[in-house]
Amino acid sequence: MPTIFTQGDLFAEKDLNAYAFGATSSGHMDAGIAVAFKKRWPRLETEYAARCADGRFHLGDVFAFVDGETTVYTLALQEHWKAKAKLAALSRAMTRVVELATNAGVLRIGLPRVGTGLGGLEWLRVKSVLTKVSEHSRVELVVFEKFVRAKPASADAPPATELP
């Protein structure tokens, strides 16, 4: 499937139940978009930190966290938040994400501009990797190039009815 590049709020997209984001292999989720992921899935941070602490999470690895109908793929792109992300690690991790998603029947994965924030990678190089990785697979990557906050429910909308 081709990679889709869009703008919006990754977490407000209604038809996504799989996500991917870049992380370090040091076990901390205290900066960048990782903070938003740990707020939504607190167990993700605990399991991710345990993998890092016991040496099961290295550059290029993927940790697939499943919570009900949602899957979150954590990609090891940096050794530490102060170190620059590695493009080779992104390529390995994304190839593995597509493989894992295919085997699990996941058809769409939402992700931010992975590796470009605190990771410091050049967006055009990342975009090229993402496009190449998904071009011959059944998995569609939905990349949110620009964050646009989702609009709150309209004040003019009729109130929800409560059942007795």
Side-chain angles (χ1 to χ4, degrees):
M1 296 291 290
T3 300
I4 305 294
F5 296 94
T6 189
Q7 61 182 12
D9 185 340
L10 170 68
F11 299 113
E13 188 73 21
K14 290 180 174 47
D15 61 346
L16 285 176
N17 62 354
Y19 305 91
F21 74 102
T24 68
S25 58
S26 66
H28 301 285
M29 294 179 70
D30 298 326
I33 197 162
V35 174
F37 276 92
K38 82 175 186 179
K39 283 182 182 177
R40 283 172 176 75
W41 297 282
R43 270 189 326 113
L44 167 65
E45 180 183 30
T46 304
E47 292 183 29
Y48 154 76
R51 287 182 185 298
C52 292
D54 65 16
R56 290 181 289 154
F57 198 62
H58 304 282
L59 284 181
D61 286 349
V62 176
F63 164 47
F65 173 80
V66 178
D67 183 30
E69 297 294 316
T70 303
T71 303
V72 179
Y73 300 100
T74 305
L75 319 175
L77 304 183
Q78 298 166 255
E79 291 176 352
H80 187 273
W81 70 269
K82 291 182 181 179
K84 188 172 181 179
K86 306 289 185 205
L87 199 60
L90 172 66
S91 183
R92 267 193 322 275
M94 285 306 303
T95 299
R96 182 71 176 135
V97 164
V98 168
E99 178 184 309
L100 290 168
T102 299
N103 292 340
V106 172
L107 299 177
R108 299 181 84 221
I109 302 171
L111 59 159
R113 288 173 45 142
V114 63
T116 63
L118 296 174
L121 294 176
E122 294 177 30
W123 173 234
L124 292 179
R125 293 178 130 191
V126 169
K127 195 171 184 176
S128 176
V129 167
L130 297 175
T131 300
K132 185 177 180 181
V133 163
S134 72
E135 71 185 343
H136 298 295
S137 80
R138 294 187 335 233
V139 177
E140 180 179 72
L141 301 178
V142 182
V143 182
F144 289 78
E145 286 186 286
K146 181 179 178 186
F147 174 76
V148 177
R149 188 169 310 283
K151 293 181 182 178
S154 171
D156 298 331
T161 52
E162 293 184 27
L163 297 175

